[in-house]
Amino acid sequence: MVESLEWQFTAYFWAMRQRPDRAGISMDWILKTAAEPEYRSIQADARIRCWRCIPGMNNRWLRVIILEDGRTIHNAFFDRGFAP
């Protein structure tokens, strides 16, 4: 399990977690992707995109969006368009 004490979450994140297509995304996967991404980029608005392959989900890529403060997770979803 990845330590979660350093992370904060937006209200938007918790609202999106209620969607049926995202309810199955493990919080451990989200935290591991945020803490140890395989790929990372900075958006034009300074938010941070992190990706990590999730073998337990047929090697789908999980994208986690972190706010510019580097410690607030804003969104997490499987990114169908990502190709490393």
Side-chain angles (χ1 to χ4, degrees):
M1 179 174 193
V2 177
E3 181 62 47
S4 64
L5 295 177
E6 65 188 80
W7 297 105
Q8 297 176 354
F9 303 90
T10 64
Y12 180 81
F13 172 84
W14 293 116
M16 291 298 101
R17 291 276 297 160
Q18 303 302 313
R19 290 176 39 160
D21 62 326
R22 299 190 188 181
I25 300 174
S26 162
M27 196 60 153
D28 282 345
W29 296 338
I30 293 169
L31 296 175
K32 186 163 180 116
T33 300
E36 302 169 10
E38 292 179 47
Y39 296 93
R40 185 175 175 209
S41 72
I42 307 295
Q43 298 180 171
D45 62 3
R47 292 179 179 179
I48 304 160
R49 291 180 182 171
C50 299
W51 291 270
R52 185 169 187 87
C53 181
I54 307 297
M57 293 298 289
N58 296 322
N59 294 322
R60 295 169 71 188
W61 288 91
L62 180 64
R63 184 198 301 187
V64 174
I65 305 295
I66 303 171
L67 297 184
E68 59 276 10
D69 65 6
R71 55 183 282 192
T72 304
I73 297 176
H74 180 65
N75 201 359
F77 55 93
F78 284 109
D79 189 344
R80 287 181 261 174
F82 182 71

